[in-house]
């Protein structure tokens, strides 16, 4: 038995005399950490992606709210190519010009702060959590507990999976790190009741994404901000999914009259190139040399990609366009028989009474439309900001047909 297994391992491409498919190779060689839909994408252009057979799909998932400029954007490709021929990586033992330029641009777009650059949303949140703990040591008698929302999603590292209040993601990994308290989203009284002398921060997604696009109730984020001010707590906003224009503002909190103390970004920031950022206001910016770091974080290649993304968003007026296209997308979803539609800008979801979301997702895929079933009942749509009205019409027609 061992022998045939050894032989199979040595001959990965041979199966019954034929070539293994990408899916078969993935099953053999990739850890099975998640389920994949039965499609292999090989290239993309704007909001379109193509599979191995050349079939075209309209992509309303955009790498899970990542590809703000769609696929293969010429400005990002040109910037990456030029930077790759010049300087890809140096580590953070030295200064690099794209990194400081990106940090400056992010601060100018958001609120007075300084930036830590990393490689993903989870890492950005990990930085925020460490920052809050150090701030608590200095400013609140060693307070360390962070209040987060039940059902939130902050990443898959041990701390961030514990921060997100979803047991299915955290329970297999017990014992989990302490210091997180979960309360229902959109319930300011629950935040107040959970606050103790041990509390150091409240950490929220301004619109809950992964659980199915749940916007904040009117006044909720403002009430949390006020409570944090009164109680001397930090407000951490995880804008990993909502940031960089997706909601029709650069950052979702800009729809409200508040600024956070700490904000995290990733996803859309690099237009598909992995990058994350944690911004801290002067009040929260307590990291000192040696406190935190990342070998790859903020390397010239990733920062150049992010700068190209920011330039195109500004040059092409994509924030306003996202708001406008968001309205169209919302109207098109409202025309579909469903339990509810919800969202803001180009971050929308439609929920069905029956557990049909996975079947609808597959029917859409068959018909050339990529959408994301976040659970059995809800479909999430987070297309590139460059989507057009005609593409929204086409997506709406396919989705309506799939819903039946
Ligand atoms: C709000 C939010 N925070 C954090 C993360 C984690 O980001 P990453 O997968 O880049 O670690 C996600 C990913 O879906 C997210 O939606």
């Amino acid at each position: 038995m061992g022998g045939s297994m050894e032989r199979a391992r040595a001959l990965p491409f041979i199966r019954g005399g034929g070539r293994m498919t990408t899916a078969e190779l993935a099953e053999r060689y990739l850890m099975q950490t998640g389920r994949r839909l039965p499609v292999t994408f090989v290239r993309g252009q704007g909001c379109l992606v193509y599979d191995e057979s050349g079939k075209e799909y309209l992509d309303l998932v955009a790498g899970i709210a990542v590809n703000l400029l769609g696929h293969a954007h010429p400005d990002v490709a040109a910037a990456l190519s030029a930077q790759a021929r010049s300087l890809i990586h140096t580590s953070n033992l030295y200064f690099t010009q794209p990194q400081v330029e990106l940090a400056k641009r992010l601060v100018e777009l958001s609120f007075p702060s300084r930036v830590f650059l990393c490689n993903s949303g989870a890492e950005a949140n990990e930085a925020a959590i460490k920052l809050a703990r150090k701030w608590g040591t200095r400013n609140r008698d060693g307070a360390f507990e962070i209040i987060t929302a039940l059902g939130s999603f902050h990443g898959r590292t041990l701390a961030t999976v514990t921060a997100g209040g979803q047991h299915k993601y955290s329970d297999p990994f017990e014992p989990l790190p302490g210091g997180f308290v979960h309360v229902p989203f959109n319930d300011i009284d629950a935040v107040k009741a959970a606050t103790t002398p041990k509390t150091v921060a409240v950490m929220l997604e301004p619109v809950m994404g992964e659980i199915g696009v749940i916007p904040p109730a009117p006044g909720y984020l403002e009430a949390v901000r006020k409570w944090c001010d009164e109680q001397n707590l930090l407000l951490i906003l995880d804008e990993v999914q909502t940031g960089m224009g997706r909601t029709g503002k650069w950052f979702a909190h800009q729809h409200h009259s508040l600024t956070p103390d700490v904000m995290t970004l990733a996803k859309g920031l690099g237009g598909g190139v992995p990058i994350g950022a944690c911004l801290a206001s002067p009040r929260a910016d307590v990291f000192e040399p040696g406190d935190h770091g990342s070998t790859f974080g903020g390397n010239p290649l990733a920062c150049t990609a992010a700068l190209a993304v920011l330039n195109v968003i500004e040059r092409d007026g994509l924030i306003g366009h996202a708001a406008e296209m968001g309205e169209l997308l919302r109207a098109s979803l409202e025309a579909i028989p469903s339990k509810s539609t919800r969202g803001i800008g180009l971050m929308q979801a439609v929920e069905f009474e029956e557990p049909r979301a996975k079947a609808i997702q597959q029917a859409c895929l068959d018909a050339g439309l990529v959408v994301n079933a976040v659970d059995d009942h809800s479909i999430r749509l987070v297309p590139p900001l460059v989507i057009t009205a005609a593409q929204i019409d086409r997506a709406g027609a396919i989705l309506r047909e799939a819903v039946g």
Side-chain angles (χ1 to χ4, degrees), residues 65 68 205-209 213-216 221 238-256 313 318-327 330 343-348 381-385:
L68 295 184
E205 296 167 79
V207 179
M208 287 172 106
V213 188
I214 316 286
L221 292 176
D238 175 346
E239 295 240 24
V240 165
Q241 188 161 156
T242 52
M244 311 315 302
R246 176 150 298 285
T247 67
K249 299 264 188 198
W250 276 107
F251 308 105
H253 73 262
Q254 292 172 341
H255 291 281
H256 309 269
I313 291 177
L318 291 179
I319 304 282
H321 182 73
E324 211 182 303
M325 292 301 108
E327 294 294 316
R330 177 59 169 266
I344 176 165
L346 285 173
M347 186 175 177
Q348 298 283 341
L381 302 155
V382 279
L385 305 193

Side-chain angles (χ1 to χ4, degrees), residues 120-122 125 153-155 205 238 240-241 267:
S120 67
N125 286 330
F153 189 84
H154 298 295
E205 296 167 79
D238 175 346
V240 165
Q241 188 161 156
K267 288 203 183 270

Side-chain angles (χ1 to χ4, degrees), residues 101-289:
E101 196 184 327
L102 177 61
K104 180 170 179 286
R105 292 282 295 278
L106 289 176
V107 171
E108 286 165 358
L109 289 172
S110 57
F111 53 93
S113 53
R114 286 199 294 195
V115 184
F116 172 77
L117 288 159
C118 51
N119 313 285
S120 67
E123 278 178 74
N125 286 330
E126 195 76 37
I129 292 164
K130 285 178 68 175
L131 196 64
R133 288 195 174 190
K134 179 152 189 204
W135 186 86
T137 305
R138 284 209 176 160
N139 297 290
R140 253 181 84 82
D141 272 345
F144 61 92
E145 245 171 36
I146 300 180
I147 299 175
T148 68
L150 281 166
S152 62
F153 189 84
H154 298 295
R156 298 294 200 119
T157 63
L158 210 45
T160 57
V161 86
T162 310
Q166 299 197 55
H167 289 291
K168 66 179 179 193
Y169 295 137
S170 59
D171 282 2
F173 308 105
E174 287 179 345
L176 301 171
F180 296 96
V181 176
H182 302 110
V183 299
F185 189 58
N186 277 337
D187 184 346
I188 181 63
D189 291 335
V191 171
K192 290 182 178 176
T195 303
T196 72
K198 285 192 286 182
T199 309
V200 73
V202 181
M203 177 170 174
L204 297 169
E205 296 167 79
V207 179
M208 287 172 106
E210 194 265 354
I211 200 170
V213 188
I214 316 286
Y220 172 65
L221 292 176
E222 289 83 349
V224 176
R225 172 74 272 178
K226 186 162 175 279
W227 180 248
C228 288
D229 289 341
E230 285 167 14
Q231 300 293 314
N232 191 28
L233 306 173
L234 295 180
L235 174 61
I236 303 171
L237 289 183
D238 175 346
E239 295 240 24
V240 165
Q241 188 161 156
T242 52
M244 311 315 302
R246 176 150 298 285
T247 67
K249 299 264 188 198
W250 276 107
F251 308 105
H253 73 262
Q254 292 172 341
H255 291 281
H256 309 269
S257 49
L258 61 92
T259 50
D261 300 296
V262 179
M263 173 172 76
T264 55
L265 301 171
K267 288 203 183 270
L269 179 56
V273 175
I275 184 166
C278 174
L279 282 69
S281 69
R283 171 176 182 241
D285 175 17
V286 290
F287 277 158
E288 294 164 300

